[in-house]
Amino acid sequence: MPTVNFDTLKFVRTLEAAGVPSPQAEAISYAVRDAQDLSDLSTKSDLRELEQRMTIKLGSMLIVAVGAMAAIARLL
């Protein structure tokens, strides 16, 4: 599973600087950290694989479209 660095101390200090009381800032930072679902993250290899599949599908659709246009042109 991919890891994402989350600096809770920096997050808390940012909230405190904005006027959020310290206990609330800490609670918010822990809630945000715990809410991160890392199972939905995509890796670079996931994106490359998706790009390859989309390229193949687009090429197939283009071939079918050209074939259909050629067939229609013969009928006319």
Side-chain angles (χ1 to χ4, degrees):
M1 181 183 331
T3 60
V4 174
N5 294 328
F6 180 66
D7 188 348
T8 54
L9 180 59
K10 182 178 179 182
F11 188 73
V12 168
R13 287 184 178 163
T14 302
L15 291 175
E16 290 173 340
V20 177
S22 182
Q24 288 178 340
E26 289 179 19
I28 292 169
S29 76
Y30 292 132
V32 169
R33 184 194 62 196
D34 293 341
Q36 293 177 343
D37 183 9
L38 302 179
S39 64
D40 290 340
L41 292 179
S42 298
T43 62
K44 287 183 181 181
S45 62
D46 291 337
L47 295 176
R48 280 191 214 104
E49 181 183 325
L50 176 63
E51 180 183 21
Q52 182 180 19
R53 288 194 328 249
M54 290 177 67
T55 300
I56 291 169
K57 286 183 181 183
L58 182 61
S60 300
M61 290 171 33
L62 184 60
I63 290 171
V64 168
V66 169
M69 290 175 70
I72 290 171
R74 282 186 186 170
L75 293 174
L76 300 176

